[in-house]
Amino acid sequence: MLSRLSEMIWADWIWFPVGHGWDDLKDHDGKVFPKPKDLWATIPIALCFLVIRQIFERTVATPLASLLGVTDKKRICAPPNPVLEAYFCSTSKHPTQSSIESLSKQTGCSVRQVQRWFRQRRNQDRPSKLKKFQEAWYLQSSHLTHFLYLIEYKPWFHDMKLMWDDFPKMPLLPSQYWYYMIELGFYLSLIFSVASDVKRKDFKEQIVHHIATISLISFSWLVNYIRGGTLVMLVHDSADYLMESAKMFNYAGWRKTCNCMFTMFAAVFIVTRLVILPFWIIHTTLVYPLTLYSPFLGFYFFNGLMLVLQVLHIFWAVLILRMVIKFLPGNEIVEDERSDKEETESEDEGADRELREKSKNGHMQNGHAALNNNHSKRD
């Protein structure tokens, strides 16, 4: 039964146009072609990326952050409170007003103190500016290295119809092999490290993007869509390192440099993701092949993933344009629309002063237990 299922999954008509199949990808006359088993090499490569990242962030990114003046402001830690901690971990980090009032009664703390505790506790979990800088520097270096490695000119970069020339019998180049293995290993490492990475508002979209990218790279390798795959990856890497560079200068407080890098990123992103990708590359993978072959399942699968990426690009383009609109008129620093901003404590500090003044004037605590030594319960 398993052999029958394997035959169905790997049937030529699923993966290739009529008249072609897996036999076309057998090595012959010194020509080498991609093979499914090659993809196993990406797992140890992904693990190597995880190790390299830890070493890189500690030995390179941290000293660079110090050199650029990236510093973290001191955060006020939420005082220990088992009841509030249990609610924070198991129920919600953002309790409703009714929940806050209920927790206030359970703990003997004022509503203001409960609100303050949750705000401080949420800020504790937010990544530090140094961690954000380390991640941005690692991703910037990775994307830039990938981009420079692939920037060597190939004929199908100019005439994209050549990506279908003699398909699927195009021999594999050594540079293509290593680029695919490294790029796929890199995205696998991002999936492995997702639990420890900085969480942003578009976290779900990022996961969808990584999965779609991994699926796209793997599928294009299996069926020798490598020329088209390298074009897609080149388009992505050409803008991503600029975005990470803008983040780095943002965290360092270099306003003009950050704005300049972000403007460059926005321009490259719009041109590559909203013009070149849909009107050149996707057109060549979705429309042009229909003049050469009859549609097949692999054709629909590949282009379905391409369209998923394009929808995500439109989503991010909207965020980018919103940031451009915000910072251009006032020449202010770019703020990442995807970042979860740290909540301010200014209102709570004002409430603290008011409580201390009342305490000095003889106001009593009415027998309620305080959350800590500095804050009393207020009706």
Side-chain angles (χ1 to χ4, degrees), residues 327-371:
F327 87 84
L328 281 180
N331 197 30
E332 296 295 332
I333 195 167
V334 178
E335 291 186 355
D336 192 347
E337 286 282 340
R338 306 173 305 147
S339 294
D340 188 13
K341 299 180 180 62
E342 186 165 338
E343 297 171 79
T344 178
E345 301 280 344
S346 58
E347 293 183 0
D348 292 333
E349 292 171 358
D352 289 346
R353 286 194 296 271
E354 182 180 346
L355 286 171
R356 286 195 292 268
E357 290 174 1
K358 286 186 177 182
S359 179
K360 290 178 182 178
N361 292 332
H363 286 268
M364 298 181 63
Q365 294 184 8
N366 297 325
H368 295 294
L371 186 64

Side-chain angles (χ1 to χ4, degrees), residues 1 28 53 95 123 134-135 203 241 247 250 252 313 319 364:
M1 182 177 178
H28 62 85
R53 177 173 182 172
N123 284 339
Q134 290 172 332
E135 180 178 306
F203 175 75
Y241 75 91
K247 289 182 187 178
N250 186 359
H313 295 159
L319 297 183
M364 298 181 63

Side-chain angles (χ1 to χ4, degrees), residues 17-32:
V18 176
H20 298 281
W22 296 108
D23 289 341
D24 294 328
L25 300 183
K26 292 182 178 179
D27 298 346
H28 62 85
D29 300 328
K31 296 180 180 180
V32 178

Side-chain angles (χ1 to χ4, degrees), residues 51-181:
V51 174
I52 291 171
R53 177 173 182 172
Q54 293 299 317
I55 297 174
F56 186 87
E57 289 183 351
R58 295 178 183 179
T59 62
V60 179
T62 300
L64 181 62
S66 177
L67 182 64
L68 295 178
V70 178
T71 57
D72 291 312
K73 65 179 181 180
K74 188 176 181 180
R75 292 177 177 175
I76 301 175
C77 294
N81 190 300
V83 175
L84 298 182
E85 184 68 28
Y87 187 94
F88 182 89
C89 295
S90 61
T91 306
S92 174
K93 297 180 180 181
H94 298 270
T96 62
Q97 185 61 32
S98 60
S99 297
I100 290 176
E101 292 173 359
S102 175
L103 291 169
S104 174
K105 294 177 181 178
Q106 293 179 47
T107 58
C109 304
S110 69
V111 169
R112 171 66 70 183
Q113 288 172 331
V114 174
Q115 291 173 332
R116 180 186 302 113
W117 189 93
F118 274 93
R119 184 177 294 113
Q120 291 173 345
R121 185 64 180 82
R122 288 193 295 269
N123 284 339
Q124 278 181 234
D125 283 354
R126 289 189 173 90
S128 66
K129 187 181 293 186
L130 176 59
K131 179 175 175 57
K132 291 180 180 180
F133 181 89
Q134 290 172 332
E135 180 178 306
W137 178 235
Y138 168 76
L139 294 175
Q140 185 265 358
S141 301
S142 300
H143 288 301
L144 180 59
T145 302
H146 298 167
F147 175 70
L148 293 177
Y149 181 80
L150 190 64
I151 204 169
E152 179 185 354
Y153 177 76
K154 299 292 189 300
W156 56 87
F157 287 5
H158 174 70
D159 186 0
M160 295 184 184
K161 292 181 180 180
L162 290 177
M163 74 172 69
W164 295 101
D165 187 28
D166 200 27
F167 171 80
K169 302 177 183 180
M170 303 91 78
L172 178 67
L173 302 176
S175 60
Q176 292 173 327
Y177 173 85
W178 286 111
Y179 184 73
Y180 256 77
M181 295 300 105

